[in-house]
Amino acid sequence: MPVSSGQIKALLDQKREAFSSFSRAKFELLHAYNRAWIDFALLSQAQQLALLPHSNSAGARPLEALTPEQAPEKGIVPFFFAESGPVGDRWTNREQSAQWVQTILANVTTFAVDGSQISPGKDISIPIALIQIGWFENPHSAERAYKKDVRVDLMTPKELGPNPAQPVERRVNIRRFQMEVARLVEYINTCREPDRTLVFFDGALVVTFAEAFDQESQTAYVQSILSLLEASDRRRVPLIGYVDTSYAHDLTGMLHHAYGLEATEGIHDAQLLARLMDWGDRTAVFQCDRGGVLDQYEGYGDQIAFTYLKTTRDGYPVRLEMPRWMWESGHITQYLNWVRGEVIVGGGYPYSIETADQTAVLQGQDKHLFLRVLQDWADREAINLRLSRKMVSKQRRR
């Protein structure tokens, strides 16, 4: 029986006050955090640090001391004209931004990796998974062509066998993660021009999501990220962990500690900052100090820096995580302008990551090809493989 719209409307009317009081409370708390952010931004770096706990996690710690000339108000560094370089006026059309991109990204190589997978399912009698990673290298040069390629791996029944602590899907996700990171490390180690290269990692460098998993899974994720941080640090190849939709609350956690505000996970950093920023603007650079999984980062526990960058006119800012050495290098404006350039080319999302995703993705036709090859191989090798009748029917229709 279809759901009754009348009953839903009646229930909403009946519970209206509960929704209204929730909305008012959240608005008031967000307003308090907004005021605290602006007050915090007016302090010197020494004063800011003095408000934060010295031994316990503070959420975030300021690394960049903004001057009034850099951030005239609200703790935000405006793109125009603090970091836009030789730009006489705000852009009024796409051609002007395209010219800026050509100047900024000329002979700068960007590199990104993404992955896709076909996980084990009930349609196949043998546990098997197919993982594909794809990458995109763009030298932004008339002399060198871009490169796209893929790498494929299979997980066998032995690798996917029973393990109560690690569900099968998680093991596939870990292998994909390891393959993506390994390809980034491989690229960094062979990079010819470290100072003219930007490597994108599609996600956060702080793998807080892994805290919900067993220790073996946590270790797998952490060790992969540590290999990536070590390679970037050793070769001095700029690395950006790009988080398009971030629900991190490091800055709100910092303000909670600094001003004793009500602790909340209902207000995240991007929500706090969105109305204060225009396209291209960014926050100061902070050290991520949220504890948790960072306690497993060995010598890199205090070496993850981050900033928020506005990449669309109306959306929330994105979170950019990076090795701390990038901030200490003194070239942070240059690195962030490379990111801005990629975002402009990609229409609001880094073109390199978008292209790597398109290169790596496994679609329905790929799954059917995989199953046909698997079935033919199993028949030839006399391996007992059964496909469900539903899958066989689909195979015939295609």
Side-chain angles (χ1 to χ4, degrees), residues 78-319:
F79 174 62
F80 296 104
F81 297 93
E83 297 192 326
S84 55
V87 177
D89 202 354
R90 294 177 182 271
W91 301 324
T92 57
N93 54 61
R94 186 163 180 80
E95 287 71 24
Q96 291 174 333
S97 63
Q99 290 173 0
W100 182 84
V101 170
Q102 288 178 355
T103 301
I104 290 296
L105 288 181
N107 298 310
V108 173
T109 300
T110 54
F111 184 81
V113 178
D114 205 352
S116 186
Q117 66 207 47
I118 298 174
S119 296
K122 296 179 180 179
D123 293 325
I124 312 175
S125 62
I126 296 176
I128 186 171
L130 179 71
I131 303 170
Q132 176 169 280
I133 63 167
W135 58 86
F136 177 62
E137 179 190 24
N138 189 351
H140 298 99
S141 168
E143 287 74 39
R144 294 169 55 202
Y146 68 80
K147 297 178 182 177
K148 291 193 291 186
D149 208 345
V150 298
R151 184 175 293 169
V152 179
D153 195 15
L154 283 173
M155 295 186 72
T156 66
K158 182 179 179 180
E159 295 169 301
L160 297 169
N163 183 345
Q166 279 191 330
V168 168
E169 187 69 21
R170 186 185 305 163
R171 274 174 276 167
V172 178
N173 289 337
I174 289 173
R175 175 67 66 84
R176 170 180 160 178
F177 187 91
Q178 291 171 328
M179 288 177 64
E180 291 176 11
V181 171
R183 181 64 186 98
L184 291 171
V185 171
E186 178 184 308
Y187 183 80
I188 288 172
N189 285 333
T190 58
C191 177
R192 293 185 293 180
E193 295 182 285
D195 60 336
R196 299 293 293 172
T197 298
L198 180 65
V199 170
F200 282 101
F201 175 74
D202 186 14
L205 299 178
V206 183
V207 291
T208 300
F209 66 87
E211 292 177 7
F213 304 151
D214 62 285
Q215 188 56 54
E216 184 180 352
S217 299
Q218 291 185 40
T219 300
Y221 280 112
V222 169
Q223 289 303 312
S224 281
I225 285 293
L226 289 181
S227 70
L228 183 58
L229 293 172
E230 188 279 330
S232 172
D233 187 21
R234 174 170 42 82
R235 296 290 325 279
R236 284 300 192 261
V237 174
L239 166 69
I240 292 290
Y242 192 94
V243 187
D244 183 67
T245 304
S246 171
Y247 296 99
H249 38 84
D250 296 335
L251 296 182
T252 57
M254 178 187 71
L255 296 175
H256 157 69
H257 286 293
Y259 293 104
L261 295 173
E262 177 186 338
T264 177
E265 294 189 1
I267 299 173
H268 52 83
D269 297 348
Q271 183 181 12
L272 172 69
L273 299 166
R275 294 186 178 182
L276 304 177
M277 306 174 77
D278 293 321
W279 186 95
D281 295 351
R282 69 170 178 90
T283 65
V285 178
F286 294 84
Q287 173 200 328
C288 184
D289 186 36
R290 70 172 66 146
V293 75
L294 278 176
D295 294 337
Q296 303 179 45
Y297 271 49
E298 302 170 2
Y300 289 95
D302 62 351
Q303 295 298 305
I304 308 294
F306 71 91
T307 184
Y308 286 89
L309 177 71
K310 196 77 154 57
T311 59
T312 59
R313 187 181 65 179
D314 300 320
Y316 285 162
V318 303
R319 180 182 171 101

